[in-house]
Amino acid sequence: MNDADKKRLLREMILYRRFEDRTFEAYMERKIGGFLHLYSGQEAVATGVLEMAVVGQGRKNDYVITGYRDHIHAIKTGADPKEVMAELYGKETGSSKGRGGSMHIFDASQNFMGGYALVGQPFPLAAGLAMGAKHQKTSQIAICFLGDGANNQGTFHETMNMASVWNLPVLFVCENNQYAIGTRIDRSTAVTDQYKRVEAYNMKSSQHDGMDIDEVMAAAKDAVDYVRKESKPYFIEFMTYRFRGHSMSDAKGYRTREEEAEWEKRDPIKIYSRKLIEAGVVTQDDIRAMEKEIDDYIENEVIKFAEESPEPKVEDLNKYVLDDNPDPRWIGPLQQ
Ligand SMILES: Cc1ncc(C[n+]2csc(CCOP(=O)(O)OP(=O)(O)O)c2C)c(N)n1
Ligand SMILES: [Mg+2]
């Protein structure tokens, strides 16, 4: 990776952090409603894995799927930040036409297959995408991100078993931030090292530091190569931490400020900035200029686009409903 790529990756992680910090403000201003789950602290995982899987290898057609903490996965896969912000604002120009909101970002043009609110839901969908690709011999793989808590869902066990039996090309990426809402992992999960759990399904797996993007990329590259070459599933676990609460209404009473401070020392943006400064790739002034350019972009383009975009029309409520013959009992009152 050359210096320009390293600089780009740092810029991307800063953009992701600031993009979401700005969504926090917009939520407080009541411009964004509903649920909002932020990714702050975990940026190195999606950025590093997707750099190796989707961007770096020049393959834009692999499938990417994730849970509800999905804004950054969508953008790194190729969704336009303006359309993601407009979706959060519930606007017609949003990536799901304003009908989905934070948990349902979707961009079929980039093969970003969502954004799902149900914990564990993406596991079988990822297996299905990989199975479709295998049958059609497209050589695509599916990359499925999910949290540590999701691994206690039945869908996890059913999918790991069948993905292994059918040799499906899926990379399962476990973002182990050690909490499922307010429950610490050891209070809900007998085997806290998640990568060990898939050994029961005869699946290859490994565990890595999720705060150092270099380590994420190195591990992800090997895993992606394995899935592509062998056409078999791989389960990769990254140890990470979310800096904010689970969603917007979370006082974080379940963890100590000392624990938070320890993890904040390992902020992925600070780690990578320090490395790039030491290697002479950037200076502190370059980073400051980068932050300013990013803030201007977010304010003058991303937020402006979301704020100035139109609301969906009430009469268009059924516009993207797939049923050609909707039951009149359901649509009747809406049309009156
Ligand atoms: C089927 C289902 N059960 C319960 C919930 C409620 N719920 C939302 S998020 C969550 C915790 C998931 O934790 P984890 O998978 O570790 O993801 P993280 O929030 O840490 O990214 C739960 C239980 C849900 N959305 N769907
Ligand atoms: Mg978690």
Side-chain angles (χ1 to χ4, degrees):
M1 184 167 277
N2 62 32
D3 286 357
D5 280 330
K6 290 178 187 166
K7 239 171 155 164
R8 172 178 56 78
L9 282 180
L10 178 63
R11 185 191 174 280
E12 284 176 6
M13 286 202 289
I14 297 173
L15 169 67
Y16 302 155
R17 178 74 54 88
R18 301 231 164 186
F19 177 96
E20 289 211 319
D21 287 350
R22 191 61 183 81
T23 67
F24 185 94
E25 285 171 28
Y27 195 91
M28 291 306 175
E29 293 164 10
R30 293 174 181 258
K31 291 188 170 158
I32 295 176
F35 286 101
L36 186 69
H37 306 88
L38 303 182
Y39 194 57
S40 179
Q42 299 182 211
E43 292 92 345
V45 180
T47 313
V49 170
L50 293 171
E51 179 68 22
M52 287 299 121
V54 181
V55 183
Q57 304 209 354
R59 295 177 62 104
K60 294 289 277 179
N61 64 343
D62 288 325
Y63 293 115
V64 179
I65 190 165
T66 186
Y68 44 81
R69 207 177 291 287
D70 60 347
H71 317 145
I72 302 313
H73 304 75
I75 295 174
K76 178 68 183 170
T77 304
D80 184 335
K82 294 204 278 290
E83 291 180 14
V84 175
M85 189 64 85
E87 188 58 38
L88 300 179
Y89 270 66
K91 297 294 184 79
E92 184 70 31
T93 54
S95 46
S96 302
K97 312 279 186 208
R99 272 63 162 183
S102 167
M103 300 196 282
H104 303 109
I105 309 291
F106 204 98
D107 190 339
S109 72
Q110 304 295 321
N111 280 351
F112 181 76
M113 307 311 276
Y116 293 86
L118 289 182
V119 172
Q121 188 179 9
F123 289 127
L125 296 177
L129 290 165
M131 191 177 205
K134 195 160 181 153
H135 276 289
Q136 290 166 1
K137 300 189 171 41
T138 64
S139 78
Q140 289 160 291
I141 69 168
I143 299 144
C144 177
F145 291 85
L146 271 181
D148 47 290
N151 299 346
N152 290 330
Q153 276 284 359
T155 52
F156 170 84
H157 300 277
E158 292 162 10
T159 305
M160 295 306 138
N161 185 53
M162 294 320 297
S164 192
V165 170
W166 287 334
N167 292 324
L168 300 180
V170 192
L171 177 64
F172 295 104
V173 183
C174 175
E175 303 201 45
N176 188 348
N177 61 15
Q178 302 142 76
Y179 288 90
I181 312 186
T183 305
R184 212 180 51 226
I185 188 165
D186 57 308
R187 296 180 60 222
S188 64
T189 307
V191 178
T192 55
D193 284 330
Q194 299 301 291
Y195 76 102
K196 291 184 183 165
R197 302 177 81 182
V198 300
E199 286 169 13
Y201 300 110
N202 198 21
M203 192 185 296
K204 270 190 90 161
S205 64
S206 52
Q207 184 188 57
H208 309 271
D209 178 4
M211 305 306 260
D212 180 339
I213 192 167
D214 285 328
E215 196 167 316
V216 173
M217 287 192 293
K221 186 179 183 318
D222 290 346
V224 168
D225 286 349
Y226 173 85
V227 174
R228 271 198 218 295
K229 286 194 190 114
E230 305 289 324
S231 188
K232 281 184 184 170
Y234 190 100
F235 183 96
I236 194 164
E237 176 183 11
F238 290 106
M239 300 308 294
T240 184
Y241 201 77
R242 65 167 155 70
F243 291 164
R244 291 189 181 272
H246 169 72
S247 65
M248 296 301 281
S249 51
D250 177 357
K252 297 184 288 181
Y254 48 83
R255 64 190 199 189
T256 64
R257 299 299 84 93
E258 291 73 33
E259 178 184 296
E260 292 179 350
E262 272 312 303
W263 277 94
E264 275 161 20
K265 284 188 205 153
R266 309 220 54 245
D267 181 332
I269 296 177
K270 284 189 202 151
I271 290 179
Y272 202 49
S273 299
R274 217 165 28 235
K275 277 191 179 185
L276 296 197
I277 290 172
E278 277 166 19
V281 176
V282 289
T283 63
Q284 197 58 259
D285 283 346
D286 292 336
I287 296 177
R288 251 176 250 127
M290 215 182 249
E291 288 169 345
K292 162 102 182 57
E293 174 265 314
I294 288 168
D295 287 344
D296 288 348
Y297 164 69
I298 292 175
E299 220 44 54
N300 302 332
E301 295 193 42
V302 177
I303 291 287
K304 187 168 188 284
F305 178 80
E307 298 211 340
E308 290 177 357
S309 289
E311 302 273 351
K313 296 194 191 96
V314 174
E315 57 268 33
D316 285 346
L317 192 61
N318 293 320
K319 194 169 166 187
Y320 302 107
V321 175
L322 294 178
D323 191 345
D324 287 337
N325 297 297
D327 185 332
R329 282 174 305 172
W330 298 115
I331 61 162
L334 299 173
Q335 288 180 334
Q336 282 160 17

